[in-house]
Amino acid sequence: MSARADKAPRLTVRVLHASAPFAAIAVLVIAWALIKIVFDLQDFVLPSPWRVLLAFLDAPGPFLVGSFETALSATFGFLIAVIVGVSLASALSLSRLVERSVYPLTLLFQMVPLIAIAPLLVLWFGYGRPTIVASAAIVSVFPIIANTLTGLRSRDERHLELFTILGAKHLTVWWKLSLPSAVPSIVTGLRIAAGLAVIGTIAGEFIAGVGGDRAPLGIMITTALRNFQTDRVFVSVLLSACVGFTVFGAVSLISRVVLARWMRV
Amino acid sequence: MDPQLAPPSTSHGSSIRLDRVTRSFAEVAAVAEVSLECAEGSFTALVGPSGCGKTTLLRLMGGLDHADRGTVTRESMRTSFCFQEPRLLPWRTTIENVALPLELAGVPRAQRIERANDALEQVQLSDAAQRFPHQLSGGMMMRASLARALVSRPQLLLLDEPFAALDEVTRYELDAQLRALWESQRFTAVIVTHSIPEAVFLAQRVLVFTPRPARIIAEVETPHDQRDAHAWTSDAMGTCVRKASDFLLAGISEQRR
C-alpha cells in the first residue's frame, strides 16, 4: 500500500478524534432545544440555548469579570491546598507515629460537609475572598494529601536498598527517592484537586460572596435565581464549568511541561 | 581526603572474610557455617543451584543483611553492589543515575559529572548519557548499572547475577568488558552466577556451593592467565567448566540422597 493511502485513514481518524467533543456538545445543545420545544417549557424553567447565548452577548462584561474573580479565588485556594497538602503529607510520611495520629484527623476533617463549617469560616474570615479561598482550599486539599501520601509510600523497595547500600540518610532518601517516586501520584491528586477547587470556590461564593461590580459567578447565580433570570443562571453555570475546565487544563499542561521526565515513567 | 575523591590506585588494600557465617529465614537455613576469604584484587565466582543461598551470602558480604551466627569482616572502605536488575531511577537520565553514588556522598556537581562520564566511557555507554532508562535496551541498562557501581571507584565490587536476564551475545560482550575493567582496575570482585562458563571466564577461582543451605563443596582454580579472544572455547576453560560442573552435580546428588 502506498504512503499516501496510509495517511488518508490516519488523517480521517485524527479529524474524527478532534471533532468528537464538539459533536457531543452539539448533540447536547440540540437535545436541550428539542426538550424546550417538545415540552413547551417556559423560559424561567428552561431557556433556549439561543436565549442563553443572547443573555451573555447582551452584557458579557460582568460575566467575564465574574469568571475572572472565581478563577482567581479558585487558583489561590488551589495553591494553598497544594502547599498545605504536600507539606502535611510529607510530614506524615516521615514518621509512622505522626501519620497514625494525624491522618485520621485529616480524614475526619474531609468528612465534615463544607456547608456545616461555612458559618465558622465567615466568622473567622468575614465575607469576601478570604472565606471563598479557604472554602476552595478545604475542599481540594484532601485528594492532594491522600495522593501525596500514597505516592510517598509507593517507592520501590529495590531502589530503597540501593540508597541504603549507598549510605543515604533518612531525609536524603525522602528527598531524592520518595518524593520523586511520588510525583506521578501527586500530579493525579493535583488534577482532581483543580476541579474540586472550582466547586469549593462556587460553594464559598454562595455563602460568603459579595455582590457589586466584581461579583463572582457564585453571586451572579444566586442573584439571577432570585430575579427568575434563568438564562443568566445558565450563563453563569456554563462559565463556572469553563473556569473549572481552564484550571484543570492549566494544571494538566503545567504538569506535562514541568514534569516531563515523570510522564514517561 | 574524601574517600570518594581519592584517585584510583592499581593496588587496593581490600579484602573480605567470612568466618562460620550462618543465616536462616523463618528457621530455614539459607547459609550454613560458610567460611571464605577473598584476597585484595582477586576475582571470585560463587556458583550453585537455584535458591541455594548464594545471593544471601553476597548480601551478607555487602552489609545488606546480617548473619545469625559468625562474622563478616570487610576491610574495604568502598563497596559497590551490582544487582540482578539495573535499578535505575526512571526519572533520571543515564548520567544522573551513574552519578548518584557521588551525589549522595556530597561530591561537587562538576566532579561527579566528569567521573560519571569516565564511568560511562569505561562501559562504552557515553552516547546514551542523556537518555532516560526507558530509552535504553536491557544491555545498556546493565551497562549503566555497572558504571554506577564503578563510579565510586570501589575497592570491593559485589555482583549478583548482573547479566542473567540478557541475551547470550550481550552477555558475552558485557562479561568481556567486566573482565577487562577488573584487569585494569584490580578491585576485589565477587560475582554470583548460575552460569559455570561465565564464572570460569570471569573469575580466578570458582566456589561451588551445595543446594540450600549453602555450603562450599569445592574450590576450582581457573586458567585466568590464559584468557584471550577465544577463551570461551579453549581447552583449559572447558576442562575447568567440566570440573566445576561435576562438583555441582555431585553436590546436588548427595543432597537428594
Side-chain angles (χ1 to χ4, degrees):
Chain A
M1 196 186 275
S2 73
R4 185 176 292 183
D6 265 350
K7 271 182 194 167
R10 237 184 290 157
L11 188 71
T12 315
V13 169
R14 221 183 285 173
V15 169
L16 263 175
H17 275 265
S19 56
F22 298 103
I25 291 170
V27 168
L28 193 71
V29 171
I30 291 167
W32 170 7
L34 282 175
I35 287 169
K36 168 142 177 83
I37 294 165
V38 170
F39 294 100
D40 193 22
L41 298 172
Q42 290 186 38
D43 275 350
F44 80 89
V45 178
L46 182 71
S48 68
W50 178 245
R51 195 180 162 97
V52 171
L53 182 67
L54 280 181
F56 173 69
L57 293 176
D58 190 39
F63 286 116
L64 294 177
V65 169
S67 301
F68 176 75
E69 289 296 318
T70 299
L72 203 63
S73 299
T75 307
F76 282 147
F78 173 73
L79 290 176
I80 290 170
V82 172
I83 294 165
V84 172
V86 174
S87 310
L88 187 61
S90 302
L92 296 184
S93 76
L94 286 172
S95 159
R96 277 274 167 193
L97 189 69
V98 177
E99 186 189 327
R100 280 197 190 138
S101 50
V102 179
Y103 191 64
L105 287 179
T106 63
L107 206 64
L108 194 72
F109 193 60
Q110 169 70 10
M111 298 301 169
V112 178
L114 179 67
I115 206 79
I117 52 169
L120 283 174
L121 294 179
V122 175
L123 192 72
W124 293 332
F125 302 115
Y127 285 94
R129 188 155 350 247
T131 295
I132 297 166
V133 169
S135 155
I138 288 168
V139 171
S140 57
V141 75
F142 190 74
I144 300 177
I145 295 174
N147 277 272
T148 305
L149 211 47
T150 305
L152 289 170
R153 283 191 200 129
S154 68
R155 66 184 179 196
D156 190 329
E157 288 303 310
R158 291 169 307 172
H159 287 147
L160 182 62
E161 200 172 63
L162 172 72
F163 275 69
T164 306
I165 202 167
L166 292 173
K169 302 273 188 302
H170 196 52
L171 267 177
T172 311
V173 171
W174 180 84
W175 178 244
K176 292 193 187 284
L177 176 64
S178 303
L179 196 59
S181 302
V183 165
S185 183
I186 294 173
V187 168
T188 306
L190 296 188
R191 283 187 181 154
I192 299 167
L196 287 176
V198 178
I199 295 171
T201 302
I202 299 286
E205 287 168 356
F206 282 167
I207 299 152
V210 179
D213 290 347
R214 304 198 68 81
L217 290 176
I219 287 295
M220 296 186 84
I221 291 170
T222 50
T223 308
L225 261 178
R226 273 200 297 272
N227 298 327
F228 297 102
Q229 294 170 307
T230 317
D231 49 355
R232 290 177 68 84
V233 174
F234 266 76
V235 173
S236 304
V237 169
L238 291 173
L239 286 173
S240 305
C242 288
V243 169
F245 188 75
T246 309
V247 174
F248 177 82
V251 170
S252 297
L253 195 70
I254 291 168
S255 307
R256 240 172 219 289
V257 173
V258 178
L259 308 171
R261 54 174 65 195
W262 278 270
M263 294 298 156
R264 289 186 292 254
V265 173
Chain B
M1 189 184 219
D2 182 345
Q4 298 287 352
L5 298 175
S9 62
T10 48
S11 172
H12 298 296
S14 65
S15 70
I16 184 156
R17 197 169 58 248
L18 276 71
D19 190 22
R20 299 169 69 85
V21 166
T22 297
R23 178 73 172 111
S24 304
F25 297 100
E27 293 180 12
V28 176
V31 175
E33 301 272 318
V34 171
S35 297
L36 68 91
E37 187 167 356
C38 300
E40 56 184 82
S42 65
F43 202 139
T44 307
L46 315 181
V47 297
S50 262
C52 77
K54 307 181 296 288
T55 296
T56 303
L57 202 59
L58 202 73
R59 291 170 65 83
L60 289 166
M61 287 181 178
L64 283 174
D65 197 1
H66 297 287
D68 297 328
R69 283 199 307 276
T71 52
V72 178
T73 313
R74 213 171 46 240
E75 284 166 22
S76 140
M77 288 294 289
R78 294 194 298 268
T79 303
S80 279
F81 212 108
C82 201
F83 298 96
Q84 282 179 15
E85 333 77 37
R87 302 195 187 185
L88 302 176
L89 301 176
W91 56 87
R92 284 174 168 247
T93 59
T94 305
I95 194 159
E96 288 167 347
N97 266 294
V98 171
L100 182 70
L102 304 179
E103 192 178 322
L104 296 181
V107 175
R109 187 179 158 75
Q111 280 182 49
R112 62 178 189 249
I113 293 297
E114 190 187 329
R115 280 176 51 182
N117 271 320
D118 286 348
L120 283 172
E121 207 174 300
Q122 284 173 20
V123 297
Q124 297 171 12
L125 201 62
S126 299
D127 292 348
Q130 298 307 325
R131 288 197 219 160
F132 285 92
H134 75 278
Q135 297 170 310
L136 305 179
S137 67
M140 289 162 98
M141 283 199 264
M142 275 326 300
R143 276 201 178 95
S145 171
L146 188 58
R148 183 181 58 201
L150 294 171
V151 78
S152 50
R153 293 168 184 158
Q155 292 166 312
L156 174 64
L157 179 63
L158 302 170
L159 304 115
D160 185 11
E161 298 181 56
F163 312 135
L166 304 178
D167 64 272
E168 212 160 338
V169 176
T170 312
R171 190 173 177 165
Y172 284 164
E173 201 186 332
L174 284 172
D175 278 338
Q177 230 166 55
L178 175 60
R179 171 83 199 176
L181 284 166
W182 173 74
E183 273 169 2
S184 64
Q185 298 181 20
R186 286 288 170 160
F187 40 78
T188 306
V190 182
I191 187 169
V192 162
T193 175
H194 280 298
S195 164
I196 296 174
E198 182 180 55
V200 172
F201 174 76
L202 284 171
Q204 295 168 301
R205 62 171 182 157
V206 178
L207 301 178
V208 185
F209 284 82
T210 57
R212 197 174 59 208
R215 272 196 311 265
I216 300 171
I217 47 167
E219 180 177 333
V220 180
E221 293 292 325
T222 70
H224 59 91
D225 51 347
Q226 297 172 30
R227 283 180 181 80
D228 57 22
H230 306 290
W232 286 96
T233 53
S234 73
D235 287 345
M237 288 276 291
T239 308
C240 192
V241 168
R242 270 196 301 279
K243 201 170 158 189
S245 303
D246 289 345
F247 279 122
L248 185 63
L249 292 171
I252 294 170
S253 307
E254 195 178 318
Q255 191 85 358
R256 280 186 186 149
R257 266 191 266 125

